[in-house]
Amino acid sequence: MQRQIAIVEDEAAIRHNYEDALRRFGYQVSGYADRASALEAFQRRLPDLVVIDVGLGDDVEGGFELCRDLRGLSR
């Protein structure tokens, strides 16, 4: 079974670089530009690993808040 990795990064070029690199290693990768879209997806299914940018655009604490949200969603 392929491992699922999520990248949460507001800078599109950086996000795409991570996605491309991880796909080359055989991972299934999903990218999100903001906390809201990532959280919506994580409420449906949690990935095996999430790489989060601490500051997400104007949401300066967005990465930290998303970490707290993830802790609440995981077992």
Side-chain angles (χ1 to χ4, degrees):
M1 182 171 165
Q2 219 177 17
R3 296 289 185 177
Q4 171 67 36
I5 298 177
I7 307 294
V8 185
E9 167 61 62
D10 59 317
E11 297 278 340
I14 295 171
R15 185 175 63 252
H16 294 307
N17 283 339
Y18 280 126
E19 291 170 355
D20 292 342
L22 291 166
R23 283 188 184 114
R24 281 193 298 265
F25 284 98
Y27 294 102
Q28 183 180 348
V29 182
S30 300
Y32 305 95
D34 56 54
R35 178 176 167 246
S37 61
L39 186 56
E40 181 181 326
F42 299 160
Q43 288 172 333
R44 288 190 302 270
R45 181 178 186 273
L46 287 175
D48 297 301
L49 174 73
V50 181
V51 178
I52 305 172
D53 182 14
V54 173
L56 296 170
D58 293 334
D59 193 3
V60 178
E61 295 287 317
F64 291 119
E65 291 175 18
L66 184 56
C67 283
R68 284 188 284 275
D69 295 334
L70 281 168
R71 290 186 72 187
L73 292 172
S74 66
R75 34 184 171 132

